[in-house]
Amino acid sequence: MSVAGAAVTVEDLTVAYERHPAIHHIRGYFAAGSLTAIVGPNGAGTIRPAGGRIRRDPAGPASLAYLPQQSEIERSFPITVLDTVMLGAWRRIGWHRAAGKAEMDAALAALDAVGLAHFEQRGVSTLSAGQFQRVLFARLMVQNAPLILLDEPFTALDTKTTRDLLALVERWHGEGRTIIAVLHDFDQVRAHFPDSLLLARELVAWGPTENVMSADNLLAARRISEAWDENALACHEAADAVGMRA
């Protein structure tokens, strides 16, 4: 059941890596219009669920925008910066018709907003990591979604690019969008994200960042992570073993 006022509700969620639980039995919700950092072990925020579920508000808008890690994107494909940004409009226009002037204007405005005016005919393979991330943020702007998911959006970026893109995230938050970002930089989290979800194989804390990112919680997260047994049984195997002993 979705929680009133929640954009996303997490119900008894377990995710696994190579059949071993990475995090397990997470419950809670992301409030509509919130800006939340997920902090925890690599991959904890993005692995396919092995149990439980994630629900979106059925009464809310249907669209969402997702920014994957750069390492997951093939950049050798011969596509221009403008065409990449225009992909953000495909959900609205579909594949059956060409983009119109409104979509073109939105894409050019987005490129200008991320500091890449006049880059539209450059190939994406010619861009630096920071420039390419700006392009991906411009694509998010064209998507114009109420729910935005960001997977390690500032990793390996220069200081200016990080600062500019964080300003965009804060602008989206000010517009009432719900933003969830997987991050590993504690200083960024404390400075820019009002809410945080701290994971370490299990839910350590979820709420206002000033409370979640306390020294005690971070120490508890470190101890839990260090105690993780890579040889532990997969979830269904452990359950079977318990059943056999009963």
Side-chain angles (χ1 to χ4, degrees):
M1 173 182 288
S2 298
V3 178
V8 179
T9 303
V10 180
E11 300 178 352
D12 200 29
L13 180 68
T14 294
V15 298
Y17 178 71
E18 295 183 350
R19 299 177 64 220
H20 296 289
I23 57 174
H24 57 87
H25 305 300
I26 307 301
R27 300 178 181 88
Y29 68 93
F30 299 91
S34 60
L35 173 56
T36 306
I38 298 179
V39 186
N42 288 334
T46 57
I47 301 172
R48 184 179 299 276
R53 68 174 114 189
I54 300 174
R55 290 181 179 269
R56 293 185 56 199
D57 178 8
S63 62
L64 65 85
Y66 170 59
L67 178 73
Q69 296 179 29
Q70 281 207 28
S71 60
E72 299 175 5
I73 301 174
E74 175 55 62
R75 291 181 56 189
S76 63
F77 189 77
I79 186 171
T80 67
V81 165
L82 181 60
D83 286 340
T84 301
V85 176
M86 292 285 284
L87 288 173
W90 79 266
R91 186 182 294 272
R92 294 191 299 276
I93 66 177
W95 299 112
H96 62 283
R97 71 178 180 89
K101 184 178 184 301
E103 289 81 20
M104 181 73 70
D105 288 346
L108 293 174
L111 283 171
D112 185 53
V114 299
L116 292 182
H118 310 301
F119 273 64
E120 57 267 21
Q121 296 308 317
R122 290 271 298 272
V124 295
S125 62
T126 69
L127 304 178
S128 68
Q131 290 169 337
F132 185 58
Q133 197 72 336
R134 289 174 185 266
V135 170
L136 297 181
F137 266 70
R139 186 175 68 181
L140 290 174
M141 294 179 70
V142 171
Q143 287 182 261
N144 195 30
L147 173 60
I148 301 173
L149 311 178
L150 307 172
D151 191 358
E152 300 187 25
F154 312 116
T155 300
L157 299 184
D158 61 272
T159 301
K160 184 178 188 309
T161 297
T162 298
R163 183 174 64 247
D164 291 347
L165 297 183
L166 277 167
L168 269 178
V169 170
E170 292 175 337
R171 170 181 154 187
W172 294 336
H173 180 225
E175 294 170 349
R177 304 177 198 270
T178 305
I179 305 165
I180 304 169
V182 177
L183 298 172
H184 297 290
D185 186 320
F186 292 174
D187 290 335
Q188 283 178 1
V189 173
R190 291 188 179 100
H192 301 281
F193 289 78
D195 295 301
S196 297
L197 165 56
L198 179 58
L199 300 171
R201 315 302 172 193
E202 61 188 51
L203 175 60
V204 178
W206 192 346
T209 295
E210 60 182 329
N211 299 330
V212 171
M213 301 297 286
S214 69
D216 287 345
N217 283 339
L218 292 175
L219 179 59
R222 179 179 177 181
R223 286 174 173 167
I224 293 170
S225 295
E226 290 176 346
W228 184 55
D229 182 3
E230 294 185 359
N231 298 314
L233 293 174
C235 288
H236 70 276
E237 292 174 340
D240 291 344
V242 171
M244 291 174 63
R245 291 195 299 267

